[in-house]
Amino acid sequence: MREKILHKSAELFLTLGFKSVTMDDIANEMGISKKTIYVHFPNKTKLVEAVSFNLFDMICDGIDAICEKAPNPIEELYSIKMYVMKHLKNEKASPQYQLKKYYPKIHSVLKFKQFEKMHQSVQSSLQHGVDTGVFRDTIDIDFISRMYFTGMTGIKDNMFFPPEQFGMDYLMESYLEYHLRAIVSQKGMTILNNFINKNQI
């Protein structure tokens, strides 16, 4: 039952936002009583925390699986982008923003975990790109991986990128291309251009 509650809560939180969804909403959607939820989660904050970390772990596992199979670091980043977008439902309700505003402690811990995971993952990907000649061998891997995280976090800031003006899919696509064009070698540029041309609708 705990897993079912986590799954349904995640679905509602990502679609409607952490603030908007009540324990009553979750109970009604599942056809159970609020008491059943409270058996597993003493309050909404604990439920939000469990959902956030559960989603994080699931996305990390998915990213690890993508990294193992990707033919090159360029397609790897695009596959990760698609995977994250699919699981975060384009962040229609700006869950990151709501988490930061209404649950700042959870947001702070989660952001640090995200940074650790992404920093390690991107560093590994960058090194692989340098080793295979897809990225320039002069790039500063530690600096670039930190910049990548900063940029990915920055495009989710509604103050800088109002959602009515910029869709999240457009932002992630544009930032990814911006990031890659700054670091690819000539060989990487060919792979990137071919990939973009092949995947344009």
Side-chain angles (χ1 to χ4, degrees), residues 11-46:
E11 199 178 284
L12 292 171
F13 287 148
L14 289 176
T15 307
L16 303 169
F18 286 104
K19 175 68 173 169
S20 317
V21 178
T22 65
M23 298 295 251
D24 282 314
D25 293 332
I26 296 164
N28 290 338
E29 278 285 323
M30 295 186 70
I32 60 175
S33 71
K34 264 201 304 187
K35 280 183 184 175
T36 306
I37 299 176
Y38 286 125
V39 166
H40 300 278
F41 306 98
N43 53 54
K44 186 181 171 184
T45 300
K46 287 292 180 190

Side-chain angles (χ1 to χ4, degrees), residues 2 6 40-41 44-57 106:
R2 188 177 190 275
L6 279 174
H40 300 278
F41 306 98
K44 186 181 171 184
T45 300
K46 287 292 180 190
L47 177 58
V48 168
E49 183 179 58
V51 165
S52 299
F53 294 149
N54 194 53
L55 267 173
F56 172 77
D57 289 339
I106 297 172

Side-chain angles (χ1 to χ4, degrees), residues 4 8 19-20 27 36 40 44 56 63 73 82 90 94 117 160 168 175 179 183 194 201:
K4 287 182 180 174
K8 178 52 74 175
K19 175 68 173 169
S20 317
T36 306
H40 300 278
K44 186 181 171 184
F56 172 77
I63 288 172
M82 291 302 295
N90 290 331
S94 293
K117 173 64 184 174
F160 298 127
M168 186 49 68
Y175 179 67
H179 162 74
I183 62 172
N194 287 343
I201 296 166

Side-chain angles (χ1 to χ4, degrees), residues 109-133:
V109 173
L110 188 63
K111 190 172 179 182
F112 183 71
K113 282 166 76 81
Q114 285 173 334
F115 170 70
E116 279 191 319
K117 173 64 184 174
M118 194 185 266
H119 188 49
Q120 170 203 346
S121 176
V122 173
Q123 273 193 320
S124 171
S125 175
L126 289 169
Q127 187 61 60
H128 179 52
V130 169
D131 293 343
T132 53

